Amino acid sequence: IMSKYSTEYGVAAPSICEALLLALNDAKVLPEREVVGVLEDAAAAHENAGGFDLEIKEHKGVATLISKLSPAEILSEGNNITA
């Protein structure tokens, strides 16, 4: 099922994660520094992922994308990183 909807999953996943980070921050469950930590951990997981050459290249690209996200922008009112 994943391969049939891979593009849709690829678009939905960041939207869901963004909504969760915003909700956790708004509810005072995760302060901004923890949101930064979540993003850093996610980037590091992809940066250090193994696999075949193509998989490693994709993981490095994901790590670069995550590293470019600004937590301040994500947490600012009305922002949407997936738009």
Side-chain angles (χ1 to χ4, degrees):
I1 193 167
M2 186 78 154
S3 63
K4 183 177 178 185
Y5 300 104
S6 62
T7 299
E8 290 86 352
Y9 281 115
V11 173
S15 298
I16 293 166
C17 291
E18 177 188 13
L20 287 170
L21 288 174
L22 289 170
L24 290 169
N25 183 257
D26 289 347
K28 308 289 189 240
V29 174
L30 281 181
E32 185 173 342
R33 73 184 184 309
E34 294 295 331
V35 172
V36 171
V38 168
L39 295 173
E40 289 173 345
D41 289 349
H46 284 283
E47 186 66 40
N48 298 315
F52 295 106
D53 289 344
L54 180 59
E55 293 168 322
I56 292 170
K57 182 178 179 181
E58 288 174 347
H59 281 293
K60 299 278 187 199
V62 171
T64 299
L65 176 65
I66 294 170
S67 296
K68 289 181 180 180
L69 296 176
S70 166
E73 289 179 31
I74 292 171
L75 297 174
S76 69
E77 230 176 305
N79 187 52
N80 185 336
I81 63 169
T82 59

